[in-house]
Structure formats: structure tokens, C-alpha cells
Amino acid sequence: MRIYEHSRMMHTMFGFLKSKSTSKHRLALCMLLFAVFCSKTQPVFAKLLYADGWTPVSVYFLALLVVVVFLGIHEFLEFSEKGRWDMSREDIFGTVLTTLLGGVISPILFYTGLSLIRASDAVLISSLIPVFTVMFAVIFLGERFSVATVLGTGFLFSGLGMLLWSDI
């Protein structure tokens, strides 16, 4: 009886490892981890290109070209399945606004700043992205701060301050 209970308990605890829905979840987590890894290597590769004489704008357009190729392939495949994009005027306005702010202005400012500081400092400063994401979610989406969010923000700022203290 005891072995049966132990086996049942282990199945309950680790049965999610065999679930098909969790395999999609694990795949999504692995993809996110790989995306974070790739995004945090971007300043290092940009610095290597700067050493070869590239400008911040040329590095940005190289990154933009790669994104356009991948998004173009994705949209082509999506268009072939559905046949038509379903975008309203509000969607188009939001897409244009997001493209200008997040897709043009932000990367050009990032690459210009990166040409003036070390890549490691740029990665540290970019670790503030979650703080701004939470602030924008509270302002625009009506989400609420939690105790964990406030504590995490405090730890993030204190760690960043300690690492960059000589530059402040």
C-alpha cells in the first residue's frame, strides 16, 4: 500500500513531464530563454561591428534587415494559410506607433549609446526593461503593483547602482 501511495504521489508531482500541453509550455520557455540569450549578446556583436568601422545606424539597419527577412517569411506563410490580413484602422495606427517608437527610435538611440559605452554596461542598463514594462502595464493596462514587483524593482535598482557606482 505504501509503495502504491509513493508511486501515485510521484506521478502527481512529476506527471506534468509527460503531458503534451506541458511539452508546448517547456518548448515556449526554451524559446524565450534562447531569445533572451540572443538579445543579450547583441551589444557584444554590435561592438565588434563598431570596431570594423560600422556606424550605429548601419548596425541598426543590419538588425532590421534580419528581422524583416524572418517576419517576411512568417507573414508569407501566414498569408498563404488565411489569405487575408485582418487589421482594423486602430490596429494599423498601433502598429505604426509601435514601429516608430520601438522599431526605429529606440534601436537607433540604443546603438548610438552603445557606441559610447561598454557592452557590459549596456546590458546592465537594458536590465531595466522589466521595470518599464511593469510601469507601462500599470499605466496603460490598469494592472496593479504587487509586493513581489516592488521588491524586485528595488533589488534591480540597488544591484544596478552597485555595479555602475563608479560611473554614477
Side-chain angles (χ1 to χ4, degrees):
M1 181 74 173
R2 244 182 129 92
I3 294 174
Y4 173 73
E5 288 175 5
H6 179 70
S7 171
R8 189 170 157 196
M9 181 181 74
M10 293 302 281
H11 178 70
T12 303
M13 288 173 52
F14 298 107
F16 69 91
L17 293 174
K18 296 179 182 176
S19 166
K20 288 185 179 181
S21 64
T22 338
S23 65
K24 287 182 182 179
H25 181 71
R26 284 189 307 221
L27 177 63
L29 289 175
C30 288
M31 289 170 33
L32 283 170
L33 181 62
F34 185 67
V36 167
F37 169 77
C38 290
S39 71
K40 297 306 175 191
T41 59
Q42 186 177 7
V44 174
F45 292 122
K47 281 292 199 178
L48 291 173
L49 293 173
Y50 291 159
D52 284 343
W54 288 54
T55 65
V57 174
S58 62
V59 172
Y60 164 66
F61 282 114
L62 175 67
L64 188 63
L65 180 65
V66 171
V67 168
V68 165
V69 167
F70 280 100
L71 285 178
I73 292 169
H74 175 270
E75 289 302 317
F76 178 74
L77 294 173
E78 187 77 16
F79 186 74
S80 66
E81 282 184 20
K82 294 185 180 176
R84 182 171 182 258
W85 291 311
D86 294 327
M87 289 185 73
S88 66
R89 287 182 187 209
E90 292 84 16
D91 292 338
I92 293 172
F93 175 73
T95 303
V96 169
L97 184 64
T98 301
T99 301
L100 288 176
L101 293 177
V104 176
I105 296 171
S106 174
I108 289 176
L109 290 175
F110 176 78
Y111 287 123
T112 303
L114 182 62
S115 68
L116 304 172
I117 64 172
R118 297 184 317 229
S120 57
D121 291 341
V123 170
L124 290 173
I125 291 170
S126 68
S127 67
L128 290 173
I129 291 173
V131 173
F132 290 110
T133 302
V134 169
M135 286 184 354
F136 290 141
V138 168
I139 293 169
F140 295 114
L141 301 176
E143 294 183 9
R144 299 198 183 276
F145 282 113
S146 67
V147 174
T149 305
V150 173
L151 287 175
T153 302
F155 284 127
L156 186 64
F157 275 121
S158 62
L160 189 61
M162 287 174 31
L163 290 170
L164 298 175
W165 185 256
S166 63
D167 297 330
I168 297 177

